[in-house]
Amino acid sequence: FDAVQLHRSPPFFADQGGTFEVVEDMDLVRGTRLNRVLQQQVLQVPIGWSGAAPEPLTLFGGTNWTDVNVEVLARFEGPTSGKFTPLQPFGHQSVHLSLLEEGKKRSPKARYVGLCARVLRYTFFNTGGKPQGYCLQVTEDGLGAMWTLTASSEVLAAGPLSETSKEKIARKEWLQLRLEVSKARIRALIDGETVSNIIDTSLPMGQVALNCGYHKCQFDNIKVLPSSKNVTSFLATTSRELLKMYSPVTFHYDARTCDPSPAQTPKRDDFTGFVGLAFVPQVAVRLAALGRMVLRGGPPVAAVHNVELLEVDGKQLKYVASAAVPTTPSQQVGIIATDEGFQYAELRESVLLEPGHKYVLASSEISGGDFFYDKAVVAEASEGVQILGPAYSNQSGWTFDSEPNLLFGPLNALLIPAEAQTQQLFTPVADPEKAKHAASGPAFVMKSQESKATSTAEAEAEDGASPATP
């Protein structure tokens, strides 16, 4: 911010609450100028036009930014917590994010600094001024200092700040906040230490934001860089996905400004039956794994889904393959988790899909269980595959909607060339010598098996194991 005029907002920043201005960063001991930084200036909570006033937040960047690494230096300007006198809200009580610390409620007058990525949109009327993005915040009050990682203000992870970072706050030194968002992989770091590394599919794109309470806080040295793609499994890199692209957001350019685009596709957990899509391969291809996107919500007992592949034969549906796919972290053999947010169950034997034949890929769902996206999800199929539209089944039977490139779920599958051998499965090994020959990710060897088209989880059941069921 050194080139920005004092007491002005920097170019390309848009304040949504509070006021962020460039000020001198002075050495209080020597009285000399160090550099210029961005500071939140409003100390009094304003009267909200409708309900509570929005909390200080400034946005920058593109609404179509997806995979980025963003970092910033942040600090509290002013007294340390031992001498801090909380500001009294004016008009409406300022409601801050409730944090998790052994069931204790944090003070609504706590001070905090934060960095957000993929702020999909910012609308005051529907969210109370909460940014719809991934936000890493450091909060300090009489209970101590801690961090939280949120998605649209829902807490994903939280924990106490390290002793080193706490000492920095006490000395009014800079904290380094960093968010790395790549596909569905969300990684949060404070002072170079990873505090959270999770998969979340809620927010696919959006701007970067800095936020703060109604107190003085400062930011400097903002960096935004494209993130690198992580390779998660050998099978996932030697195959291609049925869905090449999917987007759970839509743009309505005629929408009102108080409810701006993009809009997220509604999540549902009110249906019992099967949901998914119908598709037609235009060339012969083999299907090696069945998958479902991981969406937060639902009890653990509902976190395993029966994903089925059916072939439409006239007016009948013919069973082809199925797999038990968990939507929680799993150490189960044959389960592939990708940074795109999908979990796949590998089939013991790949299935040949005939060109021109109509297939249905569907997942079992129960009311009150895991969330799935409604059929407004827009997808683009891999080359040589045509998406016919959404499909679902309940007690009344199957229903097919003729809406190309729309689907429920989303569901997905891993495809391999049709000429691949039908009785070979990629099985992970722990031999470090064999691992040297893998291009990336864990090492795999070829293993020959003869079986019906079922998942590894179902194979364990045949041997006496008891896999989870929907």
Side-chain angles (χ1 to χ4, degrees):
F1 301 104
D2 289 349
V4 180
Q5 186 177 353
L6 288 175
H7 306 297
R8 295 289 189 270
S9 295
F12 312 116
F13 283 70
D15 297 350
Q16 306 300 311
T19 298
F20 293 79
E21 294 180 354
V22 173
V23 300
E24 296 279 18
D25 178 18
M26 301 294 295
D27 186 324
L28 299 180
V29 177
R30 298 178 178 82
T32 57
R33 175 186 178 276
L34 299 178
N35 66 335
R36 294 183 178 182
V37 299
L38 188 65
Q39 180 171 284
Q40 202 290 118
Q41 299 284 55
V42 179
L43 307 182
Q44 188 75 53
V45 180
I47 299 175
W49 179 36
S50 174
E55 298 181 15
L57 177 136
T58 186
L59 290 166
F60 66 94
T63 56
N64 61 346
W65 283 5
T66 54
D67 298 344
V68 296
N69 295 336
V70 56
E71 67 178 53
V72 68
L73 296 179
R75 70 179 178 186
F76 299 103
E77 196 282 333
T80 60
S81 60
K83 302 177 182 179
F84 178 55
T85 302
L87 296 170
Q88 296 299 321
F90 178 75
H92 297 276
Q93 176 69 33
S94 178
V95 181
H96 291 265
L97 175 66
S98 61
L99 308 176
L100 303 177
E101 186 182 327
E102 300 177 358
K104 297 179 182 179
K105 290 186 177 180
R106 307 288 290 194
S107 167
K109 300 170 185 175
R111 57 181 188 170
Y112 68 90
V113 290
L115 170 68
C116 304
R118 286 190 186 168
V119 180
L120 187 65
R121 64 179 191 164
Y122 180 88
T123 169
F124 177 75
F125 293 97
N126 292 337
T127 66
K130 300 292 185 181
Q132 291 181 264
Y134 295 111
C135 294
L136 173 62
Q137 288 187 345
V138 172
T139 303
E140 190 261 0
D141 65 5
L143 296 177
M146 68 177 299
W147 61 268
T148 57
L149 177 64
T150 63
S152 298
S153 299
E154 180 180 346
V155 177
L156 302 180
L161 213 58
S162 70
E163 292 302 319
T164 301
S165 297
K166 289 179 182 178
E167 292 174 3
K168 286 186 175 182
I169 293 177
R171 297 194 298 263
K172 294 183 286 186
E173 294 179 355
W174 294 103
L175 300 174
Q176 184 190 62
L177 307 182
R178 181 179 174 93
L179 281 172
E180 298 177 357
V181 291
S182 177
K183 308 299 180 183
R185 174 71 61 183
I186 314 300
R187 184 171 177 231
L189 302 92
I190 298 176
D191 290 334
E193 179 184 349
T194 298
V195 295
S196 183
N197 189 354
I198 63 173
I199 291 289
D200 187 84
T201 57
S202 301
L203 301 156
M205 65 181 73
Q207 296 175 278
V208 173
L210 306 175
N211 63 352
C212 178
Y214 277 100
H215 52 80
K216 288 190 177 182
C217 60
Q218 294 179 342
F219 301 93
D220 200 10
N221 294 352
I222 299 173
K223 298 178 182 178
V224 181
L225 298 170
S227 67
S228 58
K229 183 177 180 180
N230 294 320
V231 177
T232 55
S233 75
F234 183 67
L235 180 60
T237 57
T238 56
S239 61
R240 58 189 176 100
E241 294 176 303
L242 175 69
L243 301 184
K244 181 171 65 175
M245 184 280 296
Y246 61 92
S247 177
V249 300
T250 54
F251 286 82
H252 301 286
Y253 296 103
D254 57 347
R256 297 180 61 192
T257 55
C258 60
D259 189 19
S261 288
Q264 289 183 276
T265 298
K267 295 178 183 178
R268 296 179 55 182
D269 65 346
D270 59 349
F271 179 82
T272 297
F274 281 82
V275 299
L277 69 149
F279 69 96
V280 173
Q282 297 170 333
V283 295
V285 68
R286 289 192 175 276
L287 188 147
L290 298 173
R292 183 190 188 277
M293 176 171 279
V294 177
L295 297 179
R296 288 181 289 109
V301 70
V304 179
H305 300 260
N306 182 32
V307 178
E308 293 190 352
L309 178 68
L310 308 172
E311 182 178 358
V312 180
D313 186 8
K315 295 184 178 180
Q316 302 295 323
L317 283 158
K318 183 171 63 177
Y319 171 86
V320 179
S322 65
V325 180
T327 53
T328 54
S330 174
Q331 300 300 319
Q332 182 175 299
V333 174
I335 298 300
I336 302 169
T338 72
D339 282 356
E340 283 77 8
F342 285 96
Q343 289 211 148
Y344 295 94
E346 189 178 353
L347 300 181
R348 291 181 62 185
E349 181 179 344
S350 62
V351 176
L352 179 65
L353 304 183
E354 299 286 353
H357 289 216
K358 180 178 179 180
Y359 296 91
V360 175
L361 181 61
S363 168
S364 64
E365 307 294 335
I366 61 173
S367 181
D370 278 348
F371 286 101
F372 63 89
Y373 282 119
D374 208 352
K375 66 178 181 179
V377 172
V378 179
E380 180 182 346
S382 181
E383 184 178 355
V385 178
Q386 178 185 3
I387 298 176
L388 301 179
Y392 66 92
S393 171
N394 54 20
Q395 295 178 348
S396 301
W398 281 93
T399 299
F400 300 93
D401 294 335
S402 181
E403 299 177 87
N405 296 325
L406 294 185
L407 48 85
F408 290 105
L411 282 296
N412 213 339
L414 295 180
L415 307 177
I416 59 177
E419 57 272 17
Q421 298 184 34
T422 62
Q423 296 178 354
Q424 291 184 322
L425 172 70
F426 290 107
T427 302
V429 295
D431 188 342
E433 290 300 316
K434 293 177 181 178
K436 293 179 182 178
H437 300 290
S440 58
F444 288 78
V445 294
M446 301 296 289
K447 180 179 178 181
S448 177
Q449 298 185 7
E450 296 183 4
S451 67
K452 62 182 180 179
T454 55
S455 70
T456 305
E458 292 167 338
E460 292 174 355
E462 295 174 1
D463 296 331
S466 178
T469 57

